[in-house]
Amino acid sequence: MTARTERLAVLLRTLMFAQRAAGEEWIRESGLTRSQSFTLGYVDAHSDRGVIGRELAEMSGTTPASVTSLLQGLEDRGYITREPSPTDSRVKLVRATPEGSRVIAGFDEAMSAAQDRLFATLDDAEQDALIALLERVTDGVDAQDDGPPRGRGQR
């Protein structure tokens, strides 16, 4: 690794840690656990079709029993509903309630505010230049098909 790429890696890790810290702060203030907030975010993003417990267990790398307990906590707080699937009554579809969607929207708002703070030292032209450079880097990652899936609002 060259000194330049090492410096880039350090700077990128610093940005990632700052974003993670903002997320952790929101999680603490929300009263949710990390697992609950992650699960609620996933369920909210897929509420249109509903999510099944097995999908949550596979996605989170946990056991169905752990997912059941986690969902019970979210349901008790009024953040999700579980209802029988119209095609298979043995399957329960999990959806976020309006309250659950409102809570998880707070995460998106907190992360946006944190990102605004992180990049406030750059003017618009500098942010545009940084975006262009990072797009070139991430295009290489996309070509390798080993990058993270793109989320809401991403290209």
Side-chain angles (χ1 to χ4, degrees), residues 1-2 8 17 32 36 41 44-45 59-60 64-65 69 77 82-83 89 97 128-129 131 150 153:
M1 178 182 292
T2 67
L8 283 168
F17 286 136
L32 296 171
Q36 286 174 327
D44 184 57
M59 179 264 319
S60 64
S69 174
R77 294 175 80 171
R82 291 186 279 185
E83 31 192 73
S89 61
T97 64
D128 290 341
I131 289 167
R150 301 257 184 214

Side-chain angles (χ1 to χ4, degrees), residues 31-93:
L32 296 171
T33 66
R34 185 179 298 139
S35 295
Q36 286 174 327
S37 61
F38 181 75
T39 300
L40 182 56
Y42 186 85
V43 168
D44 184 57
H46 299 91
S47 272
D48 56 329
R49 65 171 171 81
V51 178
I52 61 173
R54 183 179 65 232
E55 176 183 355
L56 291 169
E58 289 171 4
M59 179 264 319
S60 64
T62 188
T63 65
S66 294
V67 167
T68 300
S69 174
L70 186 135
L71 292 176
Q72 186 62 54
L74 291 172
E75 189 174 39
D76 290 348
R77 294 175 80 171
Y79 295 157
I80 63 157
T81 60
R82 291 186 279 185
E83 31 192 73
S85 165
T87 59
D88 186 346
S89 61
R90 298 169 295 166
V91 173
K92 300 281 186 191
L93 296 178

Side-chain angles (χ1 to χ4, degrees), residues 125-137:
E126 290 169 323
Q127 288 185 26
D128 290 341
L130 181 59
I131 289 167
L133 291 169
L134 291 173
E135 284 177 338
R136 282 178 49 198
V137 172

